[in-house]
């Protein structure tokens, strides 16, 4: 449901929640998850601590909400990107471009997630990875359907199962993005999506 179609009271609650999440993201990005308290988040978002606890039962709950909201945003953008053009190659180009842009636009969130996933306690990630995987599975199936369509229409040669091709292109883009996050000047994410796609399309062995 669009937020502007909600009753005024619900719109206000949604705005408050977004303000709290934005304040938390800023603090987590600056200081790290473990070095931020709920009191600091309440103060930064200009809400009473009791109001913050009405929305989130604890800091872990808030962190999970922040991550899952970003996952939903990524999923919606990438799904839209691959639904718009008719041609399978253009769909994949859109996917590669959009994924790179989403990482650039949300770099604070991306860096936070990588940092906390690598060094977080079990409690922070408990249940979160499963929730992300549950959302991720259907998207991979959608991505696989592009390869299946291309194979069925003789646009692609069937060199592997469509699902495995989807995993391959997802892994390729992730690899390029992880390099960019770690060393953006040394490993910029390609502006031309074919720089990534041709690894799959053209392969290593010549004719």
């Amino acid at each position: 449901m669009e937020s502007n179609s909600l009753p005024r009271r619900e719109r206000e609650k949604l705005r408050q929640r977004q303000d709290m999440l934005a304040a938390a993201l800023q603090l987590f990005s600056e200081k790290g998850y473990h070095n931020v308290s709920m009191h600091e988040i309440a103060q930064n978002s200009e809400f009473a601590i009791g109001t913050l606890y009405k929305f989130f039962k604890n800091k872990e709950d808030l962190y999970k909400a922040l991550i899952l909201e970003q996952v939903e945003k990524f999923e919606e953008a990438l799904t839209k990107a691959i639904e718009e053009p008719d041609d399978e190659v253009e769909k994949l180009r859109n996917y590669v471009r959009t994924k790179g842009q989403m990482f650039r636009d949300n770099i604070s969130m991306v860096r936070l997630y990588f940092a906390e996933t690598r060094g977080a306690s079990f409690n922070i990630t408990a249940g979160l990875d499963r929730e992300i995987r549950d959302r991720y599975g259907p998207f991979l199936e959608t991505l696989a359907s592009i390869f299946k369509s291309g194979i069925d229409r003789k646009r692609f040669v069937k060199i592997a199962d469509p699902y495995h091709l989807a995993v391959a292109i997802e892994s390729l883009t992730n690899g390029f993005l992880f390099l960019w996050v770690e060393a953006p000047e040394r490993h910029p994410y390609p502006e031309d999506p074919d720089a990534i796609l041709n690894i799959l399309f053209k392969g290593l062995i010549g004719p």
Side-chain angles (χ1 to χ4, degrees), residues 169-187:
I169 195 65
E170 177 75 354
S171 299
L172 275 173
T173 51
N174 284 346
F176 275 87
L177 285 165
F178 294 160
L179 282 173
W180 171 72
V181 169
E182 293 292 336
E185 293 185 4
R186 183 180 179 189
H187 299 293

Side-chain angles (χ1 to χ4, degrees), residues 33-69:
Y33 171 85
H34 293 285
N35 299 317
V36 175
S37 70
M38 289 289 274
H39 282 277
E40 287 178 278
I41 295 169
Q43 184 176 26
N44 244 43
S45 58
E46 299 183 342
F47 290 103
I49 187 67
T51 304
L52 181 61
Y53 276 110
K54 287 180 181 178
F55 285 83
F56 308 102
K57 62 184 180 181
N58 52 36
K59 189 172 68 168
E60 179 187 336
D61 185 46
L62 189 155
Y63 175 78
K64 288 182 177 180
L66 188 61
I67 296 295
L68 289 173
E69 183 174 280

Side-chain angles (χ1 to χ4, degrees), residues 26-151:
Q26 180 183 353
L27 288 168
F28 289 157
S29 299
E30 292 173 356
K31 303 173 68 174
Y33 171 85
H34 293 285
N35 299 317
V36 175
S37 70
M38 289 289 274
H39 282 277
E40 287 178 278
I41 295 169
Q43 184 176 26
N44 244 43
S45 58
E46 299 183 342
F47 290 103
I49 187 67
T51 304
L52 181 61
Y53 276 110
K54 287 180 181 178
F55 285 83
F56 308 102
K57 62 184 180 181
N58 52 36
K59 189 172 68 168
E60 179 187 336
D61 185 46
L62 189 155
Y63 175 78
K64 288 182 177 180
L66 188 61
I67 296 295
L68 289 173
E69 183 174 280
Q70 293 297 315
V71 168
E72 183 175 345
K73 185 192 297 186
F74 270 67
E75 180 186 4
E76 288 177 357
L78 291 173
T79 299
K80 182 180 179 182
I82 61 180
E83 284 178 347
E84 288 182 346
D86 292 328
D87 179 72
E88 289 85 4
V89 172
E90 287 306 314
K91 285 178 183 286
L92 294 175
R93 284 174 175 151
N94 265 11
Y95 159 75
V96 173
R97 286 192 201 98
T98 301
K99 191 169 181 180
Q101 192 59 51
M102 290 299 293
F103 264 64
R104 293 187 191 99
D105 292 346
N106 299 277
I107 187 60
S108 294
M109 186 71 250
V110 170
R111 289 188 188 279
L112 170 65
Y113 181 71
F114 286 168
E116 297 306 331
T117 300
R118 288 170 182 165
S121 67
F122 175 76
N123 285 340
I124 299 176
T125 57
L128 182 59
D129 287 344
R130 178 172 293 280
E131 290 182 68
I132 292 174
R133 285 198 302 270
D134 287 346
R135 300 185 68 95
Y136 182 60
F139 175 76
L140 269 183
E141 293 288 355
T142 301
L143 197 56
S145 71
I146 299 173
F147 288 101
K148 184 179 186 305
S149 173
I151 292 168

